[in-house]
Amino acid sequence: MFRLSAQTTRQAVQRIAVQARYQSTQASAPLKAKNTAMVAAGVATAGAIAYLTMETVDANMLADGLHAPVLPWDHKKPLATFDHAAVRRGYQVYKEVCAACHSLDRIAWRNLVGVSHTENEVKAMAEENEYTDGPNDVGDMFQRPGKLSDYMPRPYANEEQARAGNAGALPPDLSLMIKARHGGADYVYSLLTGYQDPPAGIEIREGLNFNPYFPGGAIGMARVLYDGLVEYEDGTPATTSQMAKDVTVFLSWAAEPEMDDRKKMGMKAVTMLAILTGLSVYLKRHKWASMKTRKILYNPPTPKKH
Amino acid sequence: MPVKSSNNTTANRFARAGYNTIVKRNSVFLTTIFVSAFAMEMAFDSISDRIWDNINKGRQWKDIAHKYE
């Protein structure tokens, strides 16, 4: 028992030390085990002091960003899939609005098949884009129309070009945005619909915009969603909040394409485990019935009379 | 092993019939196990798929795909 706990502690200490090493900007040679423990202890102490002296109450909503209200997303219910009509509308919003600046690197065209579009639709959409392929048999790269296996085209070739096109601000990749931000879908929705004039006393630099949900309040991205910006093919009125909701659902899918299957498997697994639990409870009671109903008496030996 | 005292009850007759048809020969016993495992799996999957599709009626791609084909 002691050995086990000592081992666990040692592993934890080494983990902290490894983290400390990666956080350091200098390249450091691997430390010896003894030094590792001492560094870890130092880091742990410093961390504890920092934690204890930290301000525990912090209502600086401007610096931290206003907490997004928790919204009743129906795809967050334990047994609900994504609303695939909303995913389709959200893809349209992404394509027509967001994709001008934001990439979606981790989603390939094939991922849309059977999720929001038919195979023929996706093939047609992919073919509208040119991709560099090659080398061919004389060693040259060539351009070809997109295929299902290609990934979503990026609006900018590299980070420098993206920054140059957006006054120094880098539009982040949206593939995992819902998982990458505190508040997830609530944050993205609130950010998209939260643009407003800065309150009195707050100066926003030229080229930035005020959004209370963005940490710091000043965001490089301007408000992009206005009522009627896109025209949905299913006739849904394209209000600002509808578009923000649809694109958030689309990005939730992009971040967790496996969610539908995962929840379905979860339902099956919980059902199966419940059945097996019931069976094992029955079996236990069955096997123990003879023991539980047995009357055990102890007759102490009567002391012999001398 | 049938117990003498409960030789003629209905439950005992069923148990004996089951034992004689399924458990007595090992080949039959194993086949029964495998076949019933497959059958149970298929039944469980199709029932839970139907429940799932019912919970998520109108939300999944297969519910809206006909609009776009």
Side-chain angles (χ1 to χ4, degrees):
Chain A
M1 195 65 207
F2 171 73
R3 249 176 69 180
L4 191 70
S5 68
Q7 206 175 20
T8 323
T9 316
R10 195 161 59 239
Q11 278 167 356
V13 164
Q14 277 167 356
R15 229 177 1 254
I16 294 168
V18 167
Q19 279 168 4
R21 207 150 65 224
Y22 281 127
Q23 278 156 5
S24 159
T25 50
Q26 290 174 334
S28 60
L31 297 166
K32 283 179 189 153
K34 210 168 90 184
N35 292 352
T36 313
M38 284 177 68
V39 168
V43 168
T45 316
I49 291 170
Y51 181 76
L52 288 173
T53 53
M54 221 161 42
E55 268 186 82
T56 46
V57 179
D58 183 9
N60 192 347
M61 287 186 278
L62 195 58
D64 295 344
L66 194 58
H67 277 195
V70 176
L71 298 165
W73 299 103
D74 48 7
H75 68 257
K76 285 193 181 172
K77 290 176 190 162
L79 291 181
T81 64
F82 285 117
D83 183 357
H84 286 245
V87 174
R88 188 183 170 98
R89 290 194 298 269
Y91 170 75
Q92 190 185 346
V93 176
Y94 166 75
K95 199 75 237 171
E96 294 180 18
V97 186
C98 317
C101 299
H102 290 279
S103 54
L104 196 65
D105 283 346
R106 285 166 194 277
I107 298 297
W109 292 108
R110 61 185 160 78
N111 295 131
L112 295 176
V113 176
V115 171
S116 59
H117 296 76
T118 64
E119 189 176 333
N120 290 332
E121 284 174 321
V122 180
K123 275 181 177 163
M125 292 190 299
E127 279 165 12
E128 286 168 18
N129 297 279
E130 289 252 295
Y131 285 85
T132 309
D133 203 349
N136 60 11
D137 37 6
V138 289
D140 295 330
M141 304 301 275
F142 57 91
Q143 297 292 114
R144 59 153 176 80
K147 297 188 289 192
L148 282 180
S149 55
D150 286 315
Y151 281 77
M152 294 272 164
R154 325 171 81 178
Y156 301 106
N158 47 52
E159 184 183 331
E160 286 71 16
Q161 195 186 37
R163 284 191 189 278
N166 291 285
L170 175 69
D173 183 76
L174 295 183
S175 315
L176 295 166
M177 191 45 72
I178 299 297
K179 279 179 168 173
R181 291 292 177 273
H182 187 69
D186 299 330
Y187 166 77
V188 173
Y189 176 85
S190 299
L191 188 84
L192 289 174
T193 54
Y195 284 93
Q196 52 182 266
D197 291 332
I202 291 184
E203 288 281 325
I204 297 293
R205 194 157 58 78
E206 185 64 35
L208 293 181
N209 305 275
F210 181 73
N211 192 321
Y213 296 101
F214 190 72
I219 181 169
M221 176 174 131
R223 178 180 169 180
V224 284
L225 296 178
Y226 292 94
D227 290 355
L229 185 66
V230 303
E231 197 176 327
Y232 286 134
E233 56 190 349
D234 60 359
T236 309
T239 58
T240 302
S241 52
Q242 179 72 42
M243 286 185 289
K245 176 240 166 197
D246 288 340
V247 82
T248 307
V249 172
F250 171 69
L251 292 177
S252 304
W253 167 80
E256 272 182 299
E258 80 290 354
M259 191 197 79
D260 292 0
D261 285 338
R262 173 163 57 79
K263 284 184 180 172
K264 193 176 179 179
M265 286 301 278
M267 183 186 81
K268 286 183 183 177
V270 169
T271 311
M272 202 38 107
L273 288 174
I275 293 171
L276 292 179
T277 308
L279 277 176
S280 59
V281 167
Y282 164 76
L283 192 66
K284 185 261 165 188
R285 290 176 67 90
H286 181 74
K287 294 277 185 196
W288 279 75
S290 57
M291 293 297 280
K292 292 283 189 183
T293 51
R294 184 173 298 172
K295 191 170 183 180
I296 298 172
L297 276 180
Y298 175 59
N299 288 326
T302 43
K304 278 179 192 154
K305 294 206 170 112
H306 296 287
Chain B
M1 250 208 319
V3 182
K4 281 273 154 51
S5 61
S6 60
N7 234 348
N8 279 322
T9 58
T10 325
N12 184 261
R13 270 202 305 269
F14 269 109
R16 249 184 308 164
Y19 179 85
N20 286 334
T21 48
I22 297 170
V23 189
K24 221 167 192 178
R25 293 171 66 89
N26 194 39
S27 54
V28 179
F29 189 38
L30 270 182
T31 316
T32 311
I33 288 173
F34 276 86
V35 167
S36 57
F38 273 96
M40 290 292 273
E41 177 83 36
M42 281 159 71
F44 180 77
D45 276 354
S46 61
I47 289 171
S48 47
D49 280 357
R50 210 174 307 160
I51 292 172
W52 181 257
D53 292 344
N54 205 36
I55 296 172
N56 292 294
K57 201 178 278 176
R59 300 174 61 81
Q60 299 185 84
W61 171 248
K62 59 183 162 197
D63 300 331
I64 59 168
H66 63 273
K67 292 184 201 167
Y68 307 106
E69 274 163 352

